[in-house]
């Protein structure tokens, strides 16, 4: 993909596996100015950033409550969240569309944020609940002896210890939201609100596809995910393996 992003369209068709004759940033400059790629990137950053933030915040608070406060209804609430892992949201696309229509949220980025947050919370609760169960309750008790309330225990004591779990849930949902094509296609109509996957669709023609520009746009769109993984790879791997070894 990266090598092809430096080729011309003819080079890709005639020598798909070969190196480009000359390395030039012409494809990147053209795709940036031609298809309004800067706007697509900003829309993707806005939707992905807000969605991941609310998923981490809401699901971690819910999992903290379910794991630390033993009430009678906790198993039923946890099962309610687990239903979100069993039932794919795409099966309910028509009711979701009607709800957004009644709320007057069609053709807005807010509709995407709501959908991604609702779809991501069950997985976040599942991961965080298991992670909280591995932390000793003596940490909570010692913090309460020092005068912390429930939210301060979560914010000052538990949250700094859950970086691996936060990185795991954050990266999984960031990649999913960043690369999603289905929901933007259904709920967005204006070109200026398009995210990167939907914006790249403009490079596909009915009779011809400009592969050089397509590979350049895909390279640009993949860079933020690569950078995010490089910064959080250690916590991501620790989060995936936590609990596997005692």
């Amino acid at each position: 993909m990266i090598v092809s992003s430096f080729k011309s369209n003819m080079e890709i068709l005639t020598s798909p596996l070969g190196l480009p004759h000359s390395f030039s940033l012409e494809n990147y400059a053209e795709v940036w100015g031609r298809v309004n790629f800067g706007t697509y990137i900003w829309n993707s950053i806005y939707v992905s950033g807000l969605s991941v933030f609310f998923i981490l915040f809401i699901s971690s608070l819910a999992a903290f409550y379910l794991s630390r406060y033993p009430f009678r209804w906790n198993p039923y609430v946890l099962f309610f969240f687990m239903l979100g892992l069993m039932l794919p949201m795409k099966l309910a696309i028509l009711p979701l569309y009607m709800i957004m229509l009644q709320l007057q949220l069609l053709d807005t980025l807010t509709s995407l944020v709501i959908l991604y947050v609702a779809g991501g919370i069950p997985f976040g609760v599942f991961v965080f609940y298991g992670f909280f169960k591995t932390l000793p309750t003596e940490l909570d008790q010692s913090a309460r002896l020092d005068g912390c309330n429930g939210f301060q225990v979560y914010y000052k004591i538990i949250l700094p210890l859950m970086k691996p779990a936060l990185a795991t849930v954050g990266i999984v949902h960031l990649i999913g939201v960043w690369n999603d094509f289905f929901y933007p296609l259904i709920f967005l109509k204006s070109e200026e609100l398009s995210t990167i996957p939907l914006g790249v669709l403009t490079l596909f023609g009915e009779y011809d596809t400009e592969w050089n520009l397509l590979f350049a746009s895909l390279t640009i769109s993949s860079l933020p995910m690569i950078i995010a993984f490089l910064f959080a790879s250690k916590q991501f791997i620790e989060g995936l393996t936590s609990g596997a070894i005692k």
Side-chain angles (χ1 to χ4, degrees):
M1 180 184 68
I2 296 175
V3 170
S4 297
S5 68
F6 293 101
K7 296 180 179 181
S8 64
N9 203 35
M10 184 58 65
E11 284 184 90
I12 294 175
L13 296 176
T14 56
S15 180
L17 300 181
L19 293 175
H21 295 307
S22 62
F23 287 89
S24 172
L25 298 178
E26 181 180 350
N27 291 335
Y28 291 91
E30 184 175 355
V31 76
W32 189 271
R34 178 174 171 181
V35 297
N36 203 14
F37 211 79
T39 302
Y40 301 154
I41 289 180
W42 165 248
N43 292 337
S44 292
I45 292 175
Y46 176 82
V47 172
S48 302
L50 277 183
S51 301
V52 171
F53 171 78
F54 283 116
I55 289 172
L56 295 179
F57 181 69
I58 297 174
S59 58
S60 61
L61 278 178
F64 178 74
Y65 170 81
L66 293 173
S67 62
R68 288 305 204 246
Y69 295 89
F71 291 105
R72 182 176 55 186
W73 54 79
N74 278 23
Y76 303 102
V77 177
L78 181 62
F79 179 73
F80 172 76
F81 281 115
M82 294 305 100
L83 284 176
L85 293 175
M86 306 173 194
L87 304 174
M89 288 182 61
K90 290 182 174 63
L91 293 179
I93 189 62
L94 184 58
L96 289 174
Y97 188 89
M98 298 305 298
I99 290 173
M100 294 301 169
L101 180 62
Q102 294 174 1
L103 295 175
Q104 297 182 354
L105 291 177
L106 284 180
D107 200 24
T108 64
L109 297 179
T110 304
S111 62
L112 297 182
V113 174
I114 294 174
L115 290 169
Y116 291 136
V117 171
I121 285 177
F123 177 75
V125 170
F126 174 75
V127 173
F128 292 141
Y129 181 83
F131 185 83
F132 286 146
K133 282 295 185 180
T134 64
L135 298 178
T137 57
E138 288 79 9
L139 291 172
D140 304 22
Q141 297 168 2
S142 61
R144 292 184 184 277
L145 287 175
D146 290 336
C148 291
N149 56 31
F151 183 78
Q152 288 174 328
V153 172
Y154 160 81
Y155 178 71
K156 295 184 177 180
I157 306 300
I158 303 299
L159 196 61
L161 297 176
M162 55 186 297
K163 289 181 181 178
L166 287 173
T168 300
V169 176
I171 289 181
V172 167
H173 286 296
L174 182 63
I175 293 175
V177 174
W178 186 270
N179 293 327
D180 184 57
F181 174 77
F182 181 76
Y183 287 133
L185 180 65
I186 299 297
F187 293 96
L188 297 181
K189 304 300 179 184
S190 303
E191 183 180 353
E192 61 271 13
L193 295 176
S194 298
T195 56
I196 291 177
L198 192 59
V200 170
L201 187 65
T202 59
L203 298 176
F204 288 90
E206 183 177 358
Y207 302 105
D208 185 31
T209 299
E210 297 180 270
W211 297 104
N212 55 333
L213 301 184
L214 177 63
F215 283 122
S217 63
L218 292 176
T219 302
I220 296 174
S221 64
S222 65
L223 285 179
M225 296 300 97
I226 296 174
I227 295 173
F229 184 80
L230 290 177
F231 277 103
S233 59
K234 181 180 179 181
Q235 287 79 11
F236 179 74
I237 295 171
E238 289 178 358
L240 289 176
T241 57
S242 62
I245 302 174
K246 291 188 179 294

